[in-house]
Amino acid sequence: MSAEASPLARPVDNRDEGTLIRRIRNGERDLFYDLVRPYERRVYAAAYAILHNEADAQDAAQEAILKAFKNFRQFREEARFSTWLIQIAVNEARMRRRKEHADVIEPILDRQEEDGSYTPRDFADWREIPSETLERKEIRQKLVEALASLGEKYREVFILRDVEQLSIEETAKALGISIPSVKTRLLRARLMLRDLLAPGFGGGWASKLSFEKGNKPW
């Protein structure tokens, strides 16, 4: 898995996924990769959102998948398999970050209370601009740079919700936070990214920054 991986195959139908899960539990463990393959990119993205390093994110993603395989019988189908898998990846990435950066002080921005405020800049012209005026590669690079400047908790939520298209509920479960916290952090992340990106594009929002499935920023 890498940052340059091709787009994911479409996730399997829920009924097919349920069949795979039952067959794996009944001993056909070689089918596990068929189950996990549609979600490899999401697992990597979740790890990258926390570690912000390609090599570390790849290692964490691979370890998360291995842990999911070893602990597969602990999976309860009350939650979606993808949510459970991403939750493992988030926990693995956080554990690695704590071990490798135990002496790093958490940024003040990340320690703000959830009811703290963020005042967005007042851009008079916050409209989409013609897509032909911008190269997609440039936009992706600017977005990656802007994401890197966000606090961890905002970057995590933004990537899982807006980039990887998890639902609000799935994002909350994967990160172990409340639904209101997801909504608050997501709103702030969007506002901060807007403020970071708008000046470079003359105060206009690039239409290519629409996070549809398959349109990833890296």
Side-chain angles (χ1 to χ4, degrees):
M1 289 175 288
S2 71
E4 299 298 325
S6 59
L8 281 175
R10 183 175 299 175
V12 294
D13 181 89
N14 287 339
R15 291 168 297 180
D16 294 338
E17 187 168 280
T19 299
L20 276 175
I21 289 170
R22 286 190 293 274
R23 290 178 64 183
I24 294 168
R25 281 180 169 160
N26 289 334
E28 296 182 69
R29 295 172 68 83
D30 57 323
L31 294 177
F32 180 79
Y33 186 65
D34 291 332
L35 177 64
V36 79
R37 182 168 48 201
Y39 307 115
E40 284 184 314
R41 178 70 204 194
R42 290 186 181 185
V43 171
Y44 170 82
Y48 185 85
I50 295 167
L51 296 169
H52 200 54
N53 177 282
E54 291 184 11
D56 290 345
Q58 289 171 13
D59 290 344
Q62 290 171 1
E63 183 63 25
I65 290 174
L66 180 60
K67 286 184 176 180
F69 178 73
K70 290 179 177 178
N71 298 285
F72 188 71
R73 290 193 175 277
Q74 295 180 16
F75 170 60
R76 298 292 179 264
E77 293 184 61
E78 292 88 355
R80 293 177 58 179
F81 174 75
S82 58
T83 305
W84 181 72
L85 182 61
I86 290 170
Q87 191 170 21
I88 294 174
V90 167
N91 291 337
E92 177 66 23
R94 285 175 170 170
M95 181 181 66
R96 287 170 179 256
R97 185 181 62 188
R98 285 195 298 268
K99 286 182 178 179
E100 295 176 7
H101 305 287
D103 58 338
V104 176
I105 299 175
E106 186 180 17
I108 293 176
L109 184 61
D110 273 3
R111 290 189 276 113
Q112 291 180 341
E113 296 297 328
E114 290 301 327
D115 58 356
S117 62
Y118 174 76
T119 304
R121 300 175 191 172
D122 183 15
F123 290 110
D125 186 12
W126 186 246
R127 299 171 300 180
E128 291 189 351
I129 58 178
S131 59
E132 62 269 18
T133 64
L134 292 167
E135 292 295 330
R136 181 172 297 186
K137 182 178 180 181
E138 177 189 1
I139 295 172
R140 286 177 177 170
Q141 182 58 36
K142 293 297 183 183
L143 177 58
V144 169
E145 292 172 2
L147 279 171
S149 71
L150 295 186
E152 292 288 345
K153 66 182 182 182
Y154 300 112
R155 184 166 63 244
E156 293 171 1
V157 167
F158 182 84
I159 289 179
L160 291 184
R161 176 69 185 103
D162 277 1
V163 179
E164 294 304 320
Q165 301 288 309
L166 270 67
S167 69
I168 292 289
E169 293 77 10
E170 289 171 332
T171 301
K173 186 171 183 62
L175 295 176
I177 60 178
S178 68
I179 288 176
S181 289
V182 170
K183 293 179 178 179
T184 299
R185 294 180 190 185
L186 181 61
L187 174 60
R188 290 187 192 155
R190 289 169 174 170
L191 289 173
M192 287 187 282
L193 286 172
R194 187 198 74 169
D195 289 356
L196 288 165
L197 292 169
F201 297 136
W205 185 247
S207 62
K208 289 298 184 182
L209 293 179
S210 59
F211 299 104
E212 298 176 357
K213 292 182 180 179
N215 184 19
K216 311 300 182 185
W218 45 72

